[in-house]
Amino acid sequence: MALPPAFLDELRARTPLHGLIGRKVRLNRNGRQWKGCCPFHNEKTPSFYVYDDHFHCFGCGAHGDAIAFLMRAEGASFPEAVERLASEAGLEVPKPTREAQARERRQRDLHGVLLAAEANFRARLHRPEGRAALDYLRGRGLTDETIARFGLGWSGEGRGALAAELKAAEGIEPAQLAEAGLLKPREGNGGGYNDFFFNRVMFPIRDRRGRTISFGGRVLGDGQPKYVNGPETALFQKRRGLYGLDLAREAAFRGAAVVAVEGYMDVIALHQGGFGGAVAPLGTALTAEQLGELWQLSPEPVLCFDGDAAGARAAARAAEIALPLLAPERTLRLATLPNGEDPDTLLAKGGPGAVRAVLAGAKPLSTALYDLLAEGRPAATPEQRAALRARLETAARAITDKALASEYRRALLDRFFEASRKKNFRVAVKPQRAAVDPPAIRSERARNLLAILLKNPVIIPEIEESLAGIDLPEGHPETLRAALLAWFARADVLDSTLLLDQLASSRAGEAVTWALRGPGLAKEARPDAQPAEALAAWWHFFALLRGEAELSEDCARAERLLAVTNDPAAERRLKHLTEARLALRGGEIGLGTGADP
């Protein structure tokens, strides 16, 4: 049944999917989507998600639109599902046009042409003319069973043999082979066609339903290009397909890890080695459409890259494409191969255990993203650190899901500040003090510093980096600092009541009670304190905790950063640091200054 695409698009747009599916499945709101137990397999923990335009089960892989749901849930045929939805939407189903019927018939015919070509290539592989190709495949460690499972073949030398044989055996015309991407028009005015593939090992490319839609070919010897894919056709678009997708779909349904690698032979070797979730892009960098296909197989597929500079660039590009598409139920892990190895060679040398070790070491995208953005870029000067921080924040902002973007920003900046603290610890000059402050005094100073923020969170944007970088006593101070920074990353309104309500019900609740308990708090740790007063008091306690030598270094770094950026925030930070250093040096501040009795 061929229907105009515009009609089907309007039908889907007029059908609220969660309302349709909610008749059979109890759905609960989960962010921007709905969630429930899958109606297509028995499960106790919900893994069935309903979005605006499609549903997807991360347990069994069921996926589709409103039409597909009716077909699967009620056993309706395509025409029956369309008729029912159209009736509910107040639409009249158009009668198929001759053009639409011809297009559907042509696509059906193309599948038949490609299937006949695949059979021809497979037969050639086992003829004397294909002996070198068969020896090559067996030399790469492939068994005859694997060769058959992936439909591998041999193109022959070209020169019109494919067209001649298929016309004689199947009645397939050269124009059909050209439309399927197997022949190309001959240049010049002589007319006719040339073979697209010749002297190549042939790899059928299949869609998720297992239908052959094109071919890839590998030349034997040192010819170039080593691999070529068929041209774009009515059935085949490179950016939308994945090699091995049909087999990986079955393996993922059985619980196999979904792994995206680089090449055809990597996919085949991994499948033969027991890693049935392996797929590969089709000669291009990973695309948004291919990521969508991966996420239909698994909520957390693994992207596996070479351990060299090219692999790092490919990983960075994949992360850039993935960030706007991330969601709480849709992410990635990145694995890095040993330098000089690909999955095929690693499997041959180290066996399945070596591959499992690489996959076990795959990093969550948030961790890998920091490494990609920071690696090879020095962060020794204020200018370099500011540039790195800007890259990290830009990456987090690329995520369209607001809550997830906040979590990424917090995770990336936590790494940034942690690296800064470690660096400062290694290079810090010993404070010029007569004696180290007793722990009880440092604890009280940290309590005042944090209590001021609990009651006056509006000043956090001014002091965020300094708060993250200062050494605090272990226990409640460290716990509360982490909670404050995490809350700030997600907060829409910097309100003390909202902050305290949220922290009170979190693991930081005891730390909040500790910070606000009893006497000894500065008067600025009150909600009625003016922001300027609270900010000055915060820098007061910061200076006491930081020490004169460290403050001098902070001032020097802030001064250099201001000279480069001319940023008002940098100017204010330098002013506060300078005043705090001078006050500390002059003995004008002490533990009890400004505190309640």
Side-chain angles (χ1 to χ4, degrees), residues 343-430:
D344 184 15
T345 60
L346 182 64
L347 191 62
K349 293 177 182 178
V355 176
R356 281 194 291 270
V358 168
L359 298 182
K363 298 178 181 178
L365 181 58
S366 59
T367 301
L369 183 61
Y370 182 92
D371 295 336
L372 291 170
L373 293 173
E375 187 175 3
R377 296 181 173 96
T381 68
E383 298 85 355
Q384 291 167 343
R385 280 170 39 78
L388 173 57
R389 180 169 178 175
R391 288 194 296 272
L392 297 174
E393 298 211 25
T394 298
R397 285 196 298 270
I399 301 172
T400 55
D401 185 287
K402 187 176 181 180
L404 187 60
S406 294
E407 292 296 336
Y408 261 74
R409 179 181 182 274
R410 180 76 272 135
L412 292 171
L413 291 183
D414 280 348
R415 288 278 305 275
F416 174 80
F417 293 135
E418 180 185 2
S420 299
R421 285 196 295 270
K422 289 180 178 178
K423 178 180 180 301
N424 288 338
F425 178 78
R426 289 195 299 268
V427 303
V429 178
K430 290 291 185 181

Side-chain angles (χ1 to χ4, degrees), residues 47 49 51 56-59 252 256 258 291 293-302 326-333:
S47 61
Y49 286 80
Y51 304 87
H56 183 76
C57 177
F58 290 101
V258 176
L291 281 172
E293 290 285 357
L294 287 174
W295 280 320
Q296 289 186 28
L297 301 180
S298 168
E300 193 178 34
V302 178
L326 296 180
E329 75 286 348
R330 199 167 58 231
T331 187
L332 297 170
R333 287 188 295 143

Side-chain angles (χ1 to χ4, degrees), residues 153-206:
W154 172 245
S155 68
E157 297 182 359
R159 302 180 183 180
L162 176 68
E165 290 185 14
L166 291 185
K167 183 170 184 178
E170 306 282 347
I172 296 173
E173 296 292 333
Q176 293 175 281
L177 292 173
E179 192 172 2
L182 294 163
L183 299 181
K184 53 186 177 182
R186 189 172 296 150
E187 296 181 1
N189 298 324
Y193 298 92
N194 289 327
D195 290 82
F196 193 89
F197 299 99
F198 51 90
N199 288 330
R200 290 183 179 269
V201 178
M202 299 299 290
F203 300 81
I205 299 170
R206 296 164 177 157

Side-chain angles (χ1 to χ4, degrees), residues 573-595:
R573 186 166 188 266
L574 175 59
K575 174 179 177 293
H576 288 302
L577 286 168
T578 302
E579 291 174 349
R581 181 185 60 175
L582 292 173
L584 185 63
R585 181 179 295 169
E588 298 173 9
I589 55 179
L591 174 60
T593 302

Side-chain angles (χ1 to χ4, degrees), residues 515-532:
L516 299 180
R517 64 175 167 76
L521 288 182
K523 64 179 183 298
E524 291 82 7
R526 297 172 176 171
D528 58 350
Q530 294 298 311

